[in-house]
């Protein structure tokens, strides 16, 4: 593993997305409003005005509160034009939107007293609306609610008869898509399974970092199956009064059963589903009641009634074990950040509704955005479109992409963005681990190697899960130390001693632990068969120094072995590193195939299906 030290774990702010998600509802209402003469190029309907503001072509709106007609300055074919739009009695949405988009707006001066009152009224209303709205946004930002509901005090849960999202709208997470294809079939033709006595799964847990497309995927499943989509967010419960969450869960499932077949989506399930009896104080009671209700509901419905529950989280490890039992969320699907190919596919999806300069190469954009999630990429293209509109361009060109990448990266604070040299260094580091895993036969075979950042790691190499438990031979422990040193050793061999960086700190901690254990607990050094590493037992400084010396000897020997092996296979490292830089992940079977082919050795190991604990 190569880790970054600069990482802060800051929750991903989703409030803008939520705002965006709320707008279509609002717009839907507004489009039904009275309009000026249709098709007149000099007038805009209220809805068109919204669209134009969205497209970023509106630079100014001036309204007359008496006539309710606004003069709108629009950029059309590179010329400024003034159009008229009829407004409504209550234009709060518009004001808010103009405000958000930074469009200049004003009110025409008029001698009419009514106008002044109207103006004052509007301003007061505006202030009021902005206050309320920002409160709503802030709340839904905290709570992670999916949509804003105006007029209603609080959304109970969302229901969408049709999500309108299909598998085609989701890219870069092909493995997850394949696994979930089956769920679509369950929803579409449950009889096919029930008629042969098969139990349909009730719950699927999507695990992946924010913005990788979990919500989108859940919507796509409902969309593909053509069933209604119910959604609720776990974090909303935390701030509720005791009992409210539980009753809401009950309502949700009741409604879902009435509408079966359908899909229930529980976002951020970790907010309610944390292990009971640990964690935060205050909201605990509420959380537990909600969780218990959820468990009861999951158990209560027969697997065959056509309701499938999909939950999303970015950490499965904190979830209460009860949630993961058979008959509940017993299927887990990993949603990984996209690799190069995936990013390209995602960019192609989000470019569909945008105009791009034909010169622009999406391939190069995908190359430059290692570490971006689907949401980051969607955001990137949107920012680029905004830049293009501001610059009065007809299409997005490379310079807008450049600026948008910079801007999105600022917003990605805490995530590591990989480029050029850093990526190369990371690739060689990981190849060092993976190659040694493959060459040293005492070590578990490599499962997968990646230079895609995940959590604190900028690159990871996994080995296959250890089948035999408990006893580890000395040879195996030494192999683990050598492999752990492989990352740093590769950096030394390829880039020279001066270029190595702090990225190996986790590796070094790990191997030091193993080496110390060998010396001080397992009697595997020249110090002999004594267990000395007992916290409560004092040992002399002389012995402490001896332990240190033995540990250092072991590490030094292993390091030498790592460097020798890698130097000997330097050419092979180059091949593998190039490939890893290009593809960003290589799975174990393929890795071994290449090593076998290039070295002429013949060691066929077929990997088991399920991945693996994170290795060094
Ligand atoms: P998550 O639920 O994992 O946090 P979302 O599904 O809410 O992520 O993603 C937010 C938005 O980012 C989506 O609505 C979509 O526009 C874009 N997006 C994210 N992942 C993907 C993907 N794999 N393919 C296409 N678009 C994506
Ligand atoms: Zn490492
Ligand atoms: Mg989501």
């Amino acid at each position: 593993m190569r880790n970054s030290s600069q990482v802060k774990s800051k929750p991903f702010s989703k409030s803008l997305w939520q705002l965006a998600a709320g707008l279509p509802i609002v717009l839907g209402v507004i489009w039904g409003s009275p309009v000026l003469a249709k098709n007149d190029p000099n007038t805009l309907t209220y809805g068109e005005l919204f669209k134009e503001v969205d497209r970023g072509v509106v630079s100014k709106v001036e309204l007359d509160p008496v006539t309710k007609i606004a003069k709108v300055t629009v950029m059309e074919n590179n010329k400024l034009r003034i159009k008229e739009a009829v407004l409504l009695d209550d234009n709060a949405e518009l004001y808010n939107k103009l405000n958000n988009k930074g469009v200049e707006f004003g009110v025409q001066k008029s001698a009419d007293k009514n106008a002044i009152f109207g103006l004052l009224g509007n301003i007061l209303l505006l202030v009021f609306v902005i206050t309320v709205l920002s409160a709503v946004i802030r709340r839904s930002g905290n709570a992670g609610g999916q949509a804003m509901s105006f007029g209603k005090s609080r959304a109970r849960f969302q229901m969408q008869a049709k999500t309108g999202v299909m598998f085609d709208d989701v890219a870069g997470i092909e493995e997850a898509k394949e696994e979930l294809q089956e769920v679509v079939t369950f929803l579409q033709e449950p009889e096919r399974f029930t008629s042969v006595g098969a139990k349909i799964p009730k719950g699927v847990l999507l695990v992946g970092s924010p913005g990788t497309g979990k919500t989108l995927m859940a919507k796509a499943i409902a969309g593909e199956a053509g069933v209604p989509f119910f959604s609720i967010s776990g974090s909303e419960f935390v701030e509720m009064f005791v009992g409210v969450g539980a009753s809401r869960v009950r309502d949700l499932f009741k409604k879902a059963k009435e509408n079966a077949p359908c899909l229930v989506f529980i976002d951020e399930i970790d907010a309610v589903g944390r292990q009971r009896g640990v964690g935060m104080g205050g909201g605990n009671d509420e959380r537990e009641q909600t969780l218990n209700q959820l468990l009861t509901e999951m158990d209560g419905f027969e697997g065959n009634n056509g309701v499938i529950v999909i939950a999303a989280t970015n950490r499965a490890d904190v979830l209460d074990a009860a949630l993961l039992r058979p008959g509940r969320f017993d299927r887990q699907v990993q949603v990984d950040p996209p690799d190069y190919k995936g990013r390209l596919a995602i960019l192609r999806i989000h470019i569909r509704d945008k105009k791009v300069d034909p010169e622009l190469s999406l391939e190069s954009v995908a190359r430059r955005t290692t570490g971006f999630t689907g949401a980051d990429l969607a955001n990137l293209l949107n920012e680029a479109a905004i830049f293009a509109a501001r610059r009065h361009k007809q299409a997005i060109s490379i310079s807008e992409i450049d600026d948008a990448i910079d801007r999105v990266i600022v917003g990605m604070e805490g995530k590591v963005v990989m480029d050029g040299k850093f990526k190369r260094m990371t690739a060689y580091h990981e190849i060092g681990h993976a190659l040694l895993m493959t060459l040293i036969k005492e070590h578990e075979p490599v499962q997968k190697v990646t230079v895609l950042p995940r959590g604190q790691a900028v690159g990871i190499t996994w080995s296959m899960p250890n089948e035999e438990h408990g006893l580890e031979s000395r040879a195996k422990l030494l192999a683990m130390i050598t492999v752990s040193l492989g990352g740093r050793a590769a950096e030394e061999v390829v880039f020279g001693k001066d270029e190595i960086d702090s990225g190996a700190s986790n590796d070094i901690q790990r191997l030091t632990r193993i080496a110390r254990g060998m010396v001080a607990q397992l009697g595997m050094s020249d110090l002999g068969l004594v267990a000395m590493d007992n916290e409560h037992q004092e040992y002399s400084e002389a012995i402490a120094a001896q332990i240190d010396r033995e540990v250092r000897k072991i590490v030094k020997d292993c390091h030498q072995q790592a460097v020798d092996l890698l130097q000997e296979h330097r050419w092979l490292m180059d091949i593998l590193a190039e490939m890893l830089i290009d593809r960003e992940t290589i799975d174990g079977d393929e890795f071994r195939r290449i090593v076998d082919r290039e070295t002429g050795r013949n060691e066929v190991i077929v990997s088991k299906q399920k991945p693996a604990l994170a290795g060094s």
Side-chain angles (χ1 to χ4, degrees):
M1 171 202 278
R2 193 157 129 86
N3 53 289
S4 82
S5 39
Q6 65 184 100
V7 172
K8 283 177 241 142
S9 64
K10 193 184 164 210
F12 190 70
S13 160
K14 288 196 208 138
S15 53
L16 274 180
W17 287 115
Q18 275 144 8
L19 181 57
L23 276 171
I25 302 170
V26 175
L27 289 183
V29 175
I30 288 158
W31 276 324
S33 330
V35 291
L36 279 179
K38 268 215 166 102
N39 301 327
D40 180 348
N42 290 318
T43 63
L44 291 170
T45 64
Y46 195 78
E48 284 166 347
L49 173 55
F50 254 85
K51 272 199 208 154
E52 299 293 84
V53 173
D54 257 343
R55 283 175 47 207
V57 293
V58 174
S59 54
K60 190 169 167 190
V61 175
E62 240 186 332
L63 49 102
D64 182 333
V66 182
T67 59
K68 302 256 182 279
I69 290 183
K71 282 194 181 145
V72 182
T73 311
V74 188
M75 174 63 66
E76 219 175 67
N77 302 325
N78 276 331
K79 283 195 213 92
L80 284 180
R81 298 191 40 185
I82 298 198
K83 297 191 174 193
E84 283 190 341
V86 171
L87 303 189
L88 312 178
D89 285 326
D90 173 350
N91 300 302
E93 294 314 325
L94 178 65
Y95 295 160
N96 180 54
K97 185 163 202 80
L98 294 174
N99 194 38
N100 275 345
K101 293 268 173 182
V103 176
E104 184 188 342
F105 66 101
V107 178
Q108 274 179 343
K109 282 205 183 82
S110 161
D112 191 327
K113 266 192 186 157
N114 281 335
I116 292 175
F117 279 123
L119 165 61
L120 274 178
N122 275 342
I123 289 176
L124 282 178
L125 187 67
L126 177 62
V127 170
F128 174 68
V129 163
I130 289 178
T131 318
V132 169
L133 241 141
S134 52
V136 168
I137 292 168
R138 210 172 304 125
R139 213 210 61 211
S140 70
N142 292 338
Q146 281 291 307
M148 297 195 293
S149 55
F150 292 93
K152 259 191 287 168
S153 60
R154 208 168 246 189
R156 300 170 75 75
F157 47 80
Q158 305 299 128
M159 177 185 157
Q160 271 176 280
K162 289 202 173 65
T163 62
V165 180
M166 301 302 256
F167 273 165
D168 268 359
D169 301 313
V170 188
I173 40 179
E174 300 311 317
E175 282 167 37
K177 226 195 244 184
E178 253 165 54
E179 279 195 74
L180 292 163
Q181 180 65 55
E182 205 183 13
V183 178
V184 175
T185 323
F186 288 144
L187 287 165
Q188 274 173 334
E189 338 170 42
E191 322 78 43
R192 206 169 104 194
F193 297 87
T194 51
S195 67
V196 295
K199 265 230 162 76
I200 293 177
K202 292 186 209 170
V204 179
L205 187 64
L206 301 181
V207 185
S209 20
T212 44
K214 299 179 294 299
T215 309
L216 190 69
M217 180 61 108
K219 286 189 175 165
I221 294 169
E224 288 284 333
V227 302
F229 181 78
F230 290 84
S231 65
I232 197 159
S233 175
S235 57
E236 275 177 13
F237 295 125
V238 181
E239 56 184 59
M240 285 182 186
F241 299 112
V242 174
V244 175
S247 79
R248 204 147 290 184
V249 168
R250 214 175 303 127
D251 287 355
L252 171 67
F253 277 84
K254 184 161 164 274
K255 263 278 174 320
K257 278 183 242 170
E258 287 166 15
N259 285 280
C262 69
L263 192 154
V264 172
F265 179 61
I266 305 175
D267 207 355
E268 302 182 73
I269 194 168
D270 42 301
V272 272
R274 270 170 199 277
Q275 284 159 36
R276 280 168 287 195
V278 292
M280 32 186 180
N284 251 354
D285 251 7
E286 173 56 12
R287 208 170 50 74
E288 276 184 27
Q289 284 196 17
T290 310
L291 175 59
N292 289 335
Q293 187 63 38
L294 184 61
L295 295 174
T296 311
E297 293 291 345
M298 298 271 314
D299 293 342
F301 69 77
E302 293 308 312
N304 299 338
N305 69 356
V307 181
I308 288 189
V309 190
I310 295 187
T313 179
N314 51 1
R315 343 206 2 206
D317 55 322
V318 299
L319 292 181
D320 198 293
L323 268 174
L324 307 175
R325 285 216 192 100
R328 292 168 181 167
F329 295 98
D330 49 2
R331 288 202 176 189
Q332 282 193 27
V333 175
Q334 186 71 34
V335 183
D336 287 331
D339 59 8
Y340 164 73
K341 260 210 252 151
R343 291 196 303 277
L344 185 57
I346 294 172
L347 287 167
R348 292 211 168 108
I349 289 176
H350 290 279
I351 211 79
R352 278 186 206 150
D353 58 348
K354 298 188 174 60
K355 287 215 182 77
V356 264
D357 184 342
E359 300 277 283
L360 178 73
S361 140
L362 283 187
E363 285 81 3
S364 76
V365 181
R367 282 261 168 259
R368 289 168 55 198
T369 45
T370 306
F372 279 46
T373 61
D376 295 329
L377 293 169
N379 189 10
L380 164 69
L381 289 180
N382 191 49
E383 290 289 342
I386 291 174
F387 277 123
R390 269 200 213 141
R391 295 168 189 173
H392 308 308
K393 288 199 178 171
Q394 299 294 321
I396 300 170
S397 72
I398 187 68
S399 70
E400 283 76 46
I401 294 281
D402 284 343
D403 294 343
I405 289 181
D406 289 347
R407 173 172 273 208
V408 172
I409 287 174
V410 171
M412 286 167 53
E413 187 192 344
K415 280 202 228 171
V416 190
V417 181
M418 306 258 287
D419 56 359
K421 168 133 195 236
F422 191 68
K423 191 168 176 182
R424 243 170 81 76
M425 190 104 157
T426 306
Y428 274 101
H429 179 108
E430 296 306 327
I431 291 296
H433 289 308
L435 188 54
L436 293 184
M437 274 184 199
T438 311
L439 295 174
I440 299 173
K441 68 176 191 310
E442 284 84 7
H443 201 281
E444 312 290 335
V446 54
Q447 170 97 27
K448 184 170 160 184
V449 47
T450 177
V451 289
L452 285 177
R454 215 169 280 189
Q456 291 228 331
V458 294
I460 310 176
T461 305
W462 286 269
S463 62
M464 283 188 212
N466 188 353
E467 296 283 282
E468 327 131 36
H469 4 221
L471 304 174
E472 306 280 19
S473 66
R474 180 164 192 268
K476 195 160 173 187
L477 292 171
L478 289 173
M480 285 162 77
I481 296 174
T482 310
V483 164
S484 293
L485 283 160
R488 168 59 66 83
E491 291 175 32
E492 287 169 23
V493 168
V494 177
F495 300 93
K497 275 211 154 92
D498 291 341
E499 292 289 316
I500 58 175
D501 63 22
S502 60
S505 59
N506 278 4
D507 294 339
I508 291 169
Q509 278 168 19
R510 174 167 179 265
L511 68 92
T512 311
R513 251 194 332 266
I514 300 174
R516 265 198 86 83
M518 289 177 71
V519 176
Q521 290 173 332
L522 305 174
M524 287 182 177
S525 75
D526 292 345
L527 271 185
L529 293 165
V530 217
M532 285 159 291
D533 216 8
N534 189 333
E535 277 178 38
H536 307 292
Q537 182 190 315
E538 297 281 320
Y539 45 75
S540 69
E541 258 175 53
I543 295 215
Q546 259 180 312
I547 293 177
D548 275 354
R549 206 173 322 120
E550 288 301 320
V551 168
R552 235 171 294 148
K553 202 161 91 198
I554 290 177
V555 174
K556 193 163 167 253
D557 289 350
C558 289
H559 179 253
Q560 195 55 52
Q561 193 199 0
V563 170
D564 289 348
L565 270 170
L566 292 177
Q567 234 146 20
E568 199 184 312
H569 292 86
R570 172 62 207 266
W571 52 279
L572 185 50
M573 284 177 75
D574 290 342
I575 295 174
L576 292 162
E578 276 317 307
M579 187 167 173
L580 186 58
I581 289 167
D582 188 53
R583 295 215 224 138
E584 298 174 356
T585 37
I586 306 178
D587 85 313
D589 290 335
E590 183 165 20
F591 193 93
R592 275 182 292 282
R593 229 176 291 127
I594 299 166
V595 175
D596 291 349
R597 189 187 67 210
E598 298 294 327
T599 59
R601 63 171 212 160
N602 191 10
E603 289 218 3
V604 182
I605 308 163
V606 179
S607 74
K608 293 130 212 137
Q609 272 306 301
K610 271 291 152 194
L613 52 285
S616 44

